[in-house]
Amino acid sequence: MSSRTLPLLFINLGGEMLYILDQRLRAQNIPADKAKKADWIEDDRRRVMNDIITTMFNKKFLEELFKPQELYSKKALRTVFDRLAHASIMRLNQASMDKLYDLMTMAFKYQVLLCPRPKDILLVSFNHMDAIKDFVKDTPSILSQVDETYRQLIEIYSPLSSGEFQLIRQTLLIFFQDMHIRVSIFLKDKVQNSNGRFVLPTTGPVPHGTQIPGLIRMFSCNGEEIKRLQFRNGGNYAGALREGSFDMFGERVIKLGTNMYSVSRAVETHMSGTSKNSAQHTKVNTAPNPLAKEELNLLARLMGGLEVEKPVNADSSFRVNLFATDEEEEEALISRPDELSYEVINIQATKDQQANAELARIMGEFTEAGEPCQNISSKGDDLLAMMDGL
């Protein structure tokens, strides 16, 4: 497992979240009384995007994020994105948040699977970063935050070897391996099967630095080529494209990680049979996590770096629905397996010393003498709930 995977996972999932929210905010049906206000829709869409990006690229948050560390559980990562999605006046209910997270994870899983080379995961990340920069191009203060993250990505990941990028890719695939949510865009484009698994192409350009398969060359012990054999490669491959730019500016060449919602398309998600069966066995296979304390401690530090400005009053906020109608949203909430839905936890972690001291005291309870070991995992869930009151 690579200890450099978390920043790339967070930035790419965050980029996909911004794509989806931008598309839904543009298509959102706004109440008639608010729609009468001049430029209400566009102004609030821009405000939501700016608030989320400001929070996402908070300096202290990124300092914790870029520290070498193991990936933590899907539930802990989901909690971070719950917090991030509600960093502005926008509100999502649980069904819409579930759908948002499904779309984010399946989109990035598809991109990781189709990367020609492991190193190209960095180009996918740069595509997301380029789009995020475009969202805030008229706000210099936020743009400087994004540029600083760019510099960190280049500084940390550019020197890595191909083997280290392969380890990052493998770590990401392990994280995504049990996720098989069907997405309508992928199904219509025939890049995903009905069981939720992606179709790997056997056509198109080969990875940069490689040749089209189909030729075997044999050499003598002196290094001289003595024979050539050709074979059918079973695909329709083309020569490699030029390498994309790994600098802050430049053409990335690879299209993975760009906004697939830029053209208006309805997007639906469906549970595949494989995922449903996996969900039925989730409780049976669940075992206490021996790293629960460290994981929650990290989560607390990450949450402490998120400085979110709360709406002044309830009237200033609005709800975004990721479904076509409210009825579809309600139906999705009822039909989704409980094991695959996560309770939305509003964590009010701040830099206040008294709050941090209280959190430290609660964390200390994990190691008290005489504590039954079977209570560890449940106390981890309790801690996340308790953080709401800090």
Side-chain angles (χ1 to χ4, degrees), residues 192-221:
Q192 189 180 33
N193 291 323
S194 59
N195 62 2
R197 298 182 183 274
F198 289 113
V199 179
L200 298 182
T202 56
T203 60
V206 296
H208 179 79
T210 63
Q211 299 177 349
I212 297 175
L215 177 66
I216 300 174
R217 294 186 295 173
M218 299 182 184
F219 296 85
S220 68
C221 57

Side-chain angles (χ1 to χ4, degrees), residues 290-324:
L291 299 178
K293 176 179 176 179
E294 289 79 2
E295 184 174 281
L296 291 170
N297 207 9
L298 168 62
L299 180 59
R301 292 201 304 273
L302 291 175
M303 294 294 96
L306 297 181
E307 298 175 356
V308 180
E309 181 179 353
K310 294 297 180 183
V312 177
N313 54 65
D315 294 334
S316 64
S317 63
F318 64 95
R319 186 174 68 87
V320 172
N321 183 357
L322 267 71
F323 294 82

